[in-house]
């Protein structure tokens, strides 16, 4: 009789261990997904910081009116035709997708054939 209780207790412990192993596998998958998301967002954040540093005025003493005047003068000298294409090409070279499949997402694996075909049209 005592042997039956021991075997039943061992089977119960084995079932609990199997449940714990399954839970651990789920946790590992969740942690992996979170780490991937964190890495992707860190890269995107780094790209956005580079863009922000490049677009920000170098001298904080420059008032906004003067900055707006410089921006208006710069816009006046650019051609209106092809401005959208230039903006999309700039976004692509900054590391973002411009294709309709992944528009706005960070490019993490090199060049995108969809984006390149769109630029070559």
């Amino acid at each position: 009789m005592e042997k039956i209780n021991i075997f039943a207790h061992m089977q119960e412990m084995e079932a609990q261990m199997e449940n714990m192993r399954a839970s651990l596998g789920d946790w590992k998958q969740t942690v992996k997904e979170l780490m991937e998301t964190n890495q992707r967002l860190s890269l995107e954040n780094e790209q956005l910081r580079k863009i922000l540093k490049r677009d920000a005025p170098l001298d904080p003493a420059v008032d906004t009116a003067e900055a707006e005047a410089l921006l208006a003068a710069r816009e006046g000298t650019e051609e209106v035709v092809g401005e959208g294409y230039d903006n999309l090409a700039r976004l692509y070279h900054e590391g973002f997708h411009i294709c309709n499949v992944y528009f706005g997402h960070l490019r993490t694996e090199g060049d995108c054939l969809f984006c390149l075909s769109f630029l070559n049209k």
Side-chain angles (χ1 to χ4, degrees):
M1 190 105 150
E2 191 173 303
K3 290 181 183 179
I4 295 174
N5 289 337
I6 290 174
F7 284 117
H9 186 64
M10 287 178 64
Q11 286 179 341
E12 184 180 322
M13 287 178 56
E14 187 177 10
Q16 288 177 352
M17 288 174 55
E18 184 62 31
N19 287 338
M20 289 174 54
R21 188 199 61 77
S23 294
L24 181 63
D26 291 343
W27 278 100
K28 283 172 60 175
Q29 181 63 30
T30 302
V31 168
K32 178 184 172 192
E33 291 171 1
L34 288 173
M35 290 177 70
E36 289 173 352
T37 301
N38 187 30
Q39 179 65 25
R40 181 181 55 80
L41 291 174
S42 294
L43 288 172
E44 188 174 349
N45 194 8
E46 182 180 322
Q47 288 285 340
L48 291 173
R49 285 181 192 274
K50 286 179 185 177
I51 293 168
L52 184 63
K53 283 182 182 178
R54 188 185 68 219
D55 291 344
L58 297 176
D59 187 9
V62 175
D63 62 346
T64 57
E66 187 176 330
E68 288 176 4
L70 288 172
L71 183 62
R74 188 183 313 162
E75 287 177 357
T77 60
E78 293 179 0
E79 291 183 18
V80 177
V81 178
E83 183 179 348
Y85 177 83
D86 292 341
N87 288 336
L88 288 175
R90 180 181 50 82
L91 282 174
Y92 181 77
H93 291 294
E94 288 173 355
F96 295 97
H97 283 278
I98 59 167
C99 61
N100 62 341
V101 180
Y102 300 110
F103 184 80
H105 289 93
L106 186 65
R107 286 186 299 120
T108 57
E109 298 180 4
D111 290 331
C112 172
L113 294 178
F114 295 119
C115 293
L116 291 175
S117 67
F118 184 76
L119 282 175
N120 291 330
K121 284 185 180 180

